[in-house]
Amino acid sequence: MKNVLFIGAGSMAEAIIAGITSSGAVKPASVFVMNKSDQARLDELRDKYGITPVKSGDPEISQAELAVFATKPKDARQAMEQVAKQLEPSAAVLSVMAGIPISLFEKILGSRPVARSMPNTSATIGLAATGVAMNEAVCANVRENILSLLGSVGLVKEVEEDELHLITALAGSGPAYVYYFAEALEEAATTSGLCGTDARDLIIQVLEGAAAMLKRRTAEPSELREHVTSPGGTTAAGIRALDDAGFHNAVASCIRAAENRSRELATGQ
């Protein structure tokens, strides 16, 4: 797509902007960005990526072939109403807001192609994990463009809209869970006396190596775990402690809570 408008300039918008401009998917000057009130933030993005800051009423809004809604969910309705009269009827919509249903976009912005997705912030380095659902107005060409745009910042899976609640919980929020786990590992290591820098380096390598092993798909996660876990050994002792603390139940509760919150956001609109 030639012209892409971002409504919202937060971390998710920046992650996608960084991904699509660095990959060459969209020229920086053809990326228009607006937000509610923070001009300093727009100036920062302009200086960093070469994008074009815009505000309500600017002609660039009507030039957009794709409008990416990236505000906080609570601001979704206001953001749609702000640009509704300026967006061309042919302009497609891509939402990256948690919990906001396609039906709300159709209600406020009229009949048009709408895709709803939930990338994660790893889009900044081209390693996002994204689920996307599209309405029936999305033609083959628009579908290809949206998949290409999202694909320029990582892995994309097209799914049914209802599945996005679970994907939001798993992939959209997933990096935070990994970072939280890394925090816990680092805290445990440094509390026990290991240098903070050494702990961080080792944890990063462990996570990177484990992810690479999983990506090879030569064995199931359970098999890979068993290969490391000798009976009566140190790993077995660690796994037993995790089990005693209810590790699996805690992870399941985490995913359920995030999925339920996504559904609450949808029904609250």
Side-chain angles (χ1 to χ4, degrees):
M1 292 186 175
K2 293 180 180 178
N3 298 315
V4 179
L5 169 68
F6 283 81
I7 301 100
S11 59
M12 182 55 67
E14 181 174 6
I16 298 173
I17 289 168
I20 63 176
T21 54
S22 64
S23 69
V26 184
K27 293 180 180 179
S30 297
V31 176
F32 312 134
V33 187
M34 61 188 295
N35 66 359
K36 193 159 55 173
S37 58
D38 193 350
Q39 183 61 43
R41 173 61 171 165
L42 294 179
D43 292 342
E44 176 188 353
L45 293 177
R46 179 197 60 205
D47 295 342
K48 196 171 182 180
Y49 302 104
I51 58 89
T52 302
V54 297
K55 61 184 183 300
S56 181
D58 284 351
E60 288 87 352
I61 295 174
S62 62
Q63 297 170 15
E65 296 181 12
L66 176 68
V68 181
F69 284 83
T71 67
K72 289 178 169 47
K74 68 181 180 63
D75 297 325
R77 184 180 292 269
Q78 180 184 356
M80 294 181 215
E81 293 171 346
Q82 186 177 21
V83 299
K85 293 182 179 179
Q86 279 191 269
L87 285 178
E88 289 292 319
S90 60
V93 164
L94 171 62
S95 168
V96 295
M97 299 182 291
I100 307 302
I102 288 174
S103 59
L104 185 63
F105 288 93
E106 294 171 330
K107 178 181 178 180
I108 297 176
L109 300 178
S111 178
R112 67 173 68 242
V114 180
R116 175 183 165 192
S117 69
M118 192 65 248
N120 60 38
T121 52
S122 300
T124 304
I125 56 172
L127 292 174
T130 305
V132 61
M134 306 185 195
N135 68 1
E136 293 182 356
V138 175
C139 66
N141 184 56
V142 172
R143 176 180 177 275
E144 183 180 344
N145 283 333
I146 288 173
L147 291 176
S148 177
L149 184 146
L150 293 173
S152 73
V153 295
L155 175 72
V156 187
K157 296 288 186 180
E158 189 171 0
V159 299
E160 296 299 319
E161 184 175 13
D162 190 64
E163 294 177 296
L164 283 177
H165 298 294
L166 179 55
I167 289 176
T168 295
L170 178 65
S173 302
Y177 311 148
V178 175
Y179 303 147
Y180 200 38
F181 183 49
E183 282 182 64
L185 289 173
E186 187 171 332
E187 182 180 345
T190 55
T191 299
S192 296
L194 191 63
C195 165
T197 301
D198 289 345
R200 177 76 58 87
D201 289 344
L202 289 167
I203 290 165
I204 291 170
Q205 187 65 27
V206 166
L207 293 174
E208 188 174 36
M213 291 290 287
L214 285 167
K215 196 169 185 178
R216 291 172 61 185
R217 296 182 184 272
T218 56
E220 292 297 309
S222 59
E223 294 177 272
L224 292 172
R225 170 180 54 79
E226 289 167 0
H227 292 164
V228 186
T229 311
S230 301
T234 58
T235 307
I239 293 292
R240 186 166 57 251
L242 287 174
D243 286 342
D244 290 344
F247 181 73
H248 276 264
N249 287 335
V251 172
S253 295
C254 166
I255 298 300
R256 283 197 301 270
E259 180 185 4
N260 290 339
R261 180 55 182 154
S262 178
R263 294 185 183 280
E264 289 171 0
L265 289 170
T267 57
Q269 296 303 316

